[in-house]
Amino acid sequence: MSAIEVTGGISLQGEIEIQGSKNAVLPILAACMLGEGLCVIENCPRITDVTDTLEIMRHLGCRIRREERTVCIDASGVRAFEIGGAEAARIRSSVLFLGALLGRMKRAVLPHPGGCAIGARPIDQHIAALRQLGARFYLEEKITADARDMQGGRVCLAVPSVGATENAILAAVTVPGETVISHAAREPEIDELCEFLRRRGASVARTDEGDIHIRGGKRLGPVRYRMKPDRIVAGTYLLAAAATRGKIHISNFPYRELDALIAVLRDMGVSVECGKDGIQLTANRPLRAIPYLETAPYPGFPTDLQSPLMAVFCRARGESRICETIFENRFRTVKELERMGAKIRTDGNCAVVKGIPALAPAKLTAPDLRGGAALVIAALQANGHSVISNTGYIERGYEDICRDLRALGAEVRQNGKEIQ
Ligand code: UD1
């Protein structure tokens, strides 16, 4: 099992560039299954979620070349429409192949994805959206779907699910007719998927009201596309710098996507300057607690930064309260933070964190991807040596968290990292 060793107590200082976005690249890889011609994805993050997604695509018949951060995908040989249980079990976002396979093959067979570390994660909205476009579903031991009668139409989501919005887009661009997806998720990764599809020739755009408007059936051609930076990774490093009273510059970040986090950091007493050349964060005062905050769909505070923020609250002056409204099982980090002396009380989906002057180093276990990153932030604050195990989770979303933090002066190293 891989582990990360951290010697904490050092202020992060320096400049960093952010890897390509995980949550944007996963639907974009699925979108490479549609249309014709070679898709070249640049700045594709070297994370295990990408490796697993590419493995599924190989099973389906794609020819893939991956060199460093460039991935070339030729989907002309795709004939299969079934994803096996073993492949799907490796990555939850395999559910995105539902829309892509229906678009490409007009049929799809997938195992039920089931829950995961952060919650039950139902897919009723994915199925409802595709049904509204005319897809037929047979939900037995496996999910079997038939899209031969699919055409453009109105899709209304009861929950603004990111994945369901992406599945509806992937299916709708391939069929004739107009589609309007209302109550669509507004996360920037959805807009990046739309931009990618437009670059291939699709007609897909967000309206002023936030709906997604698609004129389907246009020919999708080859493309060379460069992934934008990952807002959650950027947010993680901003929080790590704030937690260690550091001073860092992120050179390649479209800061608007982090408005909710930046507002919280400023309320805590951190100076954050945003400009054309990136974000400059300076934390040279003790941090203040935040009396109340809840996670929310974009542009609200992202659930993916809830655990990393909680690790910062542990030493902020006063009592902070954070309520998790998106995923029901995202407080498993609490038990680990308590091993370091953190004072946290949970009450249903809310956690109250009483700031203390210092965290103690400890042996910790990453409970999930973002919870793992949160523990790294906690360990960076604790004077002494901490070890975080189960860091395979972190590798699903961070290219090399140790490399990045070392570039900012931290003493961190990884043992037993899988070479991709
Ligand atoms: C995506 C992100 C994840 C992020 C999340 C919320 C990817 C690969 N993952 O996950 O990092 O934390 O958005 O921003 O992009 N729901 C239903 N029925 C459904 C689908 C979702 O009830 O059919 C509920 C979920 O249980 C959850 C909420 O909707 O409470 C949001 O989930 P969703 O937006 O679908 O998240 P993902 O796309 O899985």
Side-chain angles (χ1 to χ4, degrees):
M1 197 181 357
S2 60
I4 291 179
E5 293 180 33
V6 181
T7 305
I10 299 169
S11 282
L12 298 188
Q13 308 271 341
E15 176 159 346
I16 195 166
E17 266 198 39
I18 301 298
Q19 68 184 62
S21 162
K22 166 176 101 64
N23 286 355
V25 83
L26 299 177
I28 283 178
L29 290 174
C32 292
M33 302 262 297
L34 306 175
E36 294 155 24
L38 194 68
C39 293
V40 181
I41 311 295
E42 295 175 345
N43 198 30
C44 179
R46 295 183 60 186
I47 53 177
T48 50
D49 265 11
V50 164
T51 311
D52 290 342
T53 300
L54 294 177
E55 206 40 48
I56 291 177
M57 293 172 72
R58 282 198 184 94
H59 276 276
L60 291 170
C62 291
R63 286 175 50 201
I64 296 170
R65 221 177 54 241
R66 186 180 185 191
E67 268 170 40
E68 295 290 317
R69 293 184 182 79
T70 301
V71 179
C72 304
I73 297 163
D74 171 2
S76 58
V78 171
R79 302 284 176 269
F81 53 82
E82 174 158 4
I83 297 181
E87 298 133 51
R90 291 170 70 174
I91 178 167
R92 208 206 110 86
S93 55
S94 60
V95 72
L96 289 174
F97 286 100
L98 192 51
L101 281 173
L102 289 184
R104 165 79 195 219
M105 303 298 297
K106 305 292 167 217
R107 293 185 67 187
V109 181
L110 272 82
H112 290 273
C116 75
I118 61 171
R121 304 189 89 170
I123 60 160
D124 55 300
Q125 293 303 309
H126 301 242
I127 292 172
L130 295 165
R131 273 193 172 136
Q132 289 172 68
L133 292 172
R136 272 183 264 180
F137 279 85
Y138 308 93
L139 302 172
E140 286 160 354
E141 199 187 321
K142 293 177 178 177
I143 300 170
T144 303
D146 181 327
R148 276 171 288 196
D149 296 331
M150 202 161 66
Q151 55 182 2
R154 268 209 96 78
V155 174
C156 184
L157 295 173
V159 177
S161 153
V162 173
T165 304
E166 290 165 346
N167 258 331
I169 294 171
L170 291 169
V173 288
T174 64
V175 290
E178 278 190 38
T179 294
V180 177
I181 307 170
S182 52
H183 208 205
R186 291 171 188 251
E187 270 66 7
E189 291 76 18
I190 305 235
D191 294 277
E192 192 167 356
L193 172 65
C194 294
E195 189 181 331
F196 172 80
L197 288 164
R198 273 196 302 276
R199 295 270 290 274
R200 297 192 66 191
S203 168
V204 44
R206 199 184 283 277
T207 65
D208 291 344
E209 294 74 40
D211 295 349
I212 306 275
H213 187 270
I214 299 165
R215 266 195 205 91
K218 299 233 181 305
R219 188 182 156 269
L220 302 183
V223 71
R224 178 175 280 271
Y225 183 83
R226 189 170 176 78
M227 297 305 305
K228 294 183 181 149
D230 190 307
R231 66 191 168 103
I232 303 300
V233 173
T236 305
Y237 296 155
L238 289 175
L239 286 165
T244 60
R245 313 290 186 270
K247 182 173 177 173
I248 68 163
H249 184 84
I250 295 182
S251 50
N252 66 332
F253 199 73
Y255 56 86
R256 287 234 149 274
E257 295 180 359
L258 278 179
D259 275 356
L261 171 67
I262 290 170
V264 170
L265 285 167
R266 286 183 175 146
D267 284 349
M268 294 182 84
V270 178
S271 151
V272 186
E273 285 166 40
C274 303
K276 271 206 304 290
D277 56 346
I279 300 181
Q280 174 82 33
L281 176 145
T282 310
N284 48 17
R285 280 175 294 195
L287 301 181
R288 289 192 293 265
I290 298 290
Y292 184 82
L293 181 70
E294 58 182 41
T295 60
Y298 188 84
F301 191 87
T303 171
D304 286 347
L305 289 176
Q306 179 262 110
S307 302
L309 178 63
M310 186 186 283
V312 185
F313 281 163
C314 289
R315 285 201 314 140
R317 275 191 185 163
E319 226 174 55
S320 302
R321 173 185 284 261
I322 188 159
C323 297
E324 173 56 65
T325 71
I326 311 286
F327 291 114
E328 65 278 17
N329 208 8
R330 269 204 152 158
F331 281 160
R332 298 198 313 166
T333 322
V334 169
K335 225 173 65 213
E336 300 300 314
L337 293 171
E338 283 173 342
R339 284 184 213 281
M340 307 178 80
K343 295 273 172 282
I344 307 174
R345 206 175 65 242
T346 55
D347 176 9
N349 70 331
C350 294
V352 179
V353 187
K354 191 170 183 313
I356 53 170
L359 288 171
K363 286 195 163 41
L364 306 162
T365 306
D368 54 60
L369 163 57
R370 305 302 169 186
L375 297 182
V376 174
I377 294 175
L380 288 170
Q381 301 174 66
N383 282 320
H385 188 75
S386 295
V387 180
I388 300 151
S389 59
N390 216 16
T391 52
Y393 272 128
I394 300 179
E395 290 160 28
R396 288 182 44 191
Y398 296 81
E399 273 195 351
D400 191 340
I401 200 168
C402 295
R403 172 201 67 199
D404 291 346
L405 292 171
R406 270 199 305 274
L408 298 173
E411 266 188 47
V412 278
R413 66 190 186 102
Q414 179 130 24
N415 290 326
K417 181 173 159 60
E418 247 181 72
I419 306 294
Q420 287 180 46

